Amino acid sequence: MSILEARDLTKIYSTGFTALNSVNLEIREGEVMALLGPNGAGKTTLISIICGITEATAGTVLVGGHDNVTSAMQARQLIGLVPQEITLEPFEKVIDTMRFSRGLFGMRSNDAHLDRLLDKLSLTDKRESRVHTLSGGMRRRVLIAKALSHEPRILFLDEPTAGVDVELRNAMWQTVSELKDDGVTIILTTHYIVEAEAIADRVAIINKGEIRIVEDKQELMARMGEKQITIELADAISMIPDVLAEYNLELSSCGRELDYRYDARASRTGITTLLNGLREAGLQMTDIQTRQSTLEEIFVKLMQDDQ
């Protein structure tokens, strides 16, 4: 069941620049959706329109069935937003930041809920700390706590791990996984595509203001990805034998590894005949390793094809 729908969203600025061009996107309840695209693709504009920060030129957004213009408060109450920039009052205490945000949405005071959030985000010992005393990574955690303070059903994470160290980044992704387990729908943008590959259920790719692909992550990787085997040779060679020319092999600089790429979904991968060809060429193998295309490699290829 969908919890969020963007229908024919268009945004044209006064300069004439089209940031979004008839974008359609449906988010399913309880999923993690990775929204990927290069800088300037329209990701932040799309999020801003959905969250009611920016006005669309045309199109509609439904959040939990509520139009985000005609029923703005009901729609916005279902959304938590963690922006890319750290936007916190520096001299306010962490707990007061959360209380204020909760109050903005007309929610009754509930420090028990806020304390549970602080515990989940490893911020309990920072409860009474003023924001300006915290590290950048801790401030990002406060942004998440603030966004969740009014108990939204949808959480937008716009580059949530930008500029944080690896340890904190891993902790934050663990938090995302726990939020999903709690039933929160999560839409994230990230430049760390390896992280999107690890936690996303579906992937939406946007470029030049248009949605290019919306697909289950595993299906996308199976459909567009390649598999590769690396064959390690007992002795180095200076060139690929003619008998193996049809396989488009790549020879490593050291002359002891051959890379072969193939479509794993094809009825014939060519691996068996390749191995026979190696024997025919008198080449002895010492090892074979396999790998599959990453989501990042697929993304880069899509962007190159979209030039």
Side-chain angles (χ1 to χ4, degrees):
M1 184 176 73
S2 64
I3 192 171
L4 190 155
E5 295 179 58
R7 299 175 179 172
D8 299 317
L9 277 189
T10 297
K11 178 61 180 178
I12 303 174
Y13 287 96
S14 58
T15 59
F17 174 70
T18 300
L20 295 178
N21 183 19
S22 195
V23 165
N24 289 281
L25 183 63
E26 181 179 325
I27 308 295
R28 299 167 185 164
E29 188 167 12
E31 75 172 339
V32 177
M33 168 72 83
L35 180 61
L36 306 178
N39 290 334
K43 302 186 298 295
T44 299
T45 300
L46 177 58
I47 291 173
S48 296
I49 290 174
I50 292 172
C51 293
I53 299 169
T54 300
E55 184 178 351
T57 305
T60 58
V61 174
L62 297 178
V63 184
H66 302 289
D67 187 292
N68 79 332
V69 175
T70 60
S71 302
M73 181 53 75
Q74 294 93 323
R76 187 64 180 86
Q77 197 164 23
L78 296 174
I79 295 174
L81 171 63
V82 180
Q84 187 171 345
E85 301 298 326
I86 295 178
T87 52
L88 295 167
E89 172 53 51
F91 296 101
E92 194 167 44
K93 292 181 179 179
V94 170
I95 187 62
D96 291 338
T97 293
M98 297 169 67
R99 286 169 178 158
F100 180 73
S101 183
R102 184 177 175 85
L104 280 178
F105 291 93
M107 302 289 285
R108 291 183 179 179
S109 176
N110 187 345
D111 275 9
H113 168 67
L114 301 185
D115 285 340
R116 283 193 296 271
L117 283 178
L118 290 171
D119 180 62
K120 186 183 290 288
L121 292 162
S122 300
L123 287 169
T124 299
D125 62 336
K126 306 297 183 184
R127 188 181 193 275
E128 301 295 331
S129 299
R130 299 191 185 278
V131 170
H132 74 90
T133 67
L134 304 179
S135 67
M138 284 296 176
R139 291 181 202 179
R140 289 203 175 274
R141 291 193 186 195
V142 173
L143 281 174
I144 295 178
K146 178 183 176 184
L148 292 170
S149 64
H150 64 284
E151 304 174 50
R153 292 169 58 196
I154 303 168
L155 182 65
F156 281 93
L157 300 170
D158 193 5
E159 299 289 348
T161 59
V164 304
D165 59 46
V166 173
E167 183 179 359
L168 183 54
R169 187 180 301 149
N170 291 337
M172 290 181 71
W173 289 130
Q174 177 60 37
T175 298
V176 169
S177 179
E178 292 171 359
L179 289 171
K180 181 189 175 184
D181 291 341
D182 290 341
V184 178
T185 301
I186 297 166
I187 300 97
L188 69 94
T189 72
T190 178
H191 281 96
Y192 301 103
I193 300 180
V194 65
E195 296 172 337
E197 180 177 338
I199 68 172
D201 299 308
R202 287 197 301 156
V203 174
I205 296 179
I206 186 171
N207 194 25
K208 300 176 183 177
E210 298 181 355
I211 296 289
R212 304 303 198 194
I213 285 177
V214 180
E215 194 166 347
D216 176 88
K217 177 190 65 182
Q218 297 297 347
E219 291 177 1
L220 173 64
M221 294 179 69
R223 182 172 66 84
M224 298 200 64
E226 291 181 322
K227 280 199 171 184
Q228 173 183 308
I229 61 172
T230 298
I231 301 168
E232 184 177 309
L233 303 175
D235 300 304
I237 59 175
S238 59
M239 60 182 297
I240 297 172
D242 290 341
V243 69
L244 301 175
E246 65 179 286
Y247 297 99
N248 295 316
L249 299 170
E250 292 183 14
L251 179 64
S252 66
S253 58
C254 67
R256 292 194 56 181
E257 292 181 348
L258 291 170
D259 289 336
Y260 173 59
R261 292 180 173 83
Y262 63 97
D263 182 352
R265 300 171 304 148
S267 58
R268 295 180 180 274
T269 63
I271 294 175
T272 301
T273 53
L274 168 61
L275 296 180
N276 289 334
L278 286 169
R279 286 192 289 270
E280 184 180 340
L283 301 179
Q284 183 178 353
M285 299 177 295
T286 58
D287 193 17
I288 296 180
Q289 298 179 6
T290 64
R291 68 179 294 272
Q292 186 167 358
S293 300
T294 65
L295 181 60
E296 183 164 7
E297 289 169 333
I298 293 170
F299 173 76
V300 170
K301 183 178 185 301
L302 284 168
M303 293 302 98
Q304 290 172 342
D305 292 344
D306 206 21
Q307 293 298 320

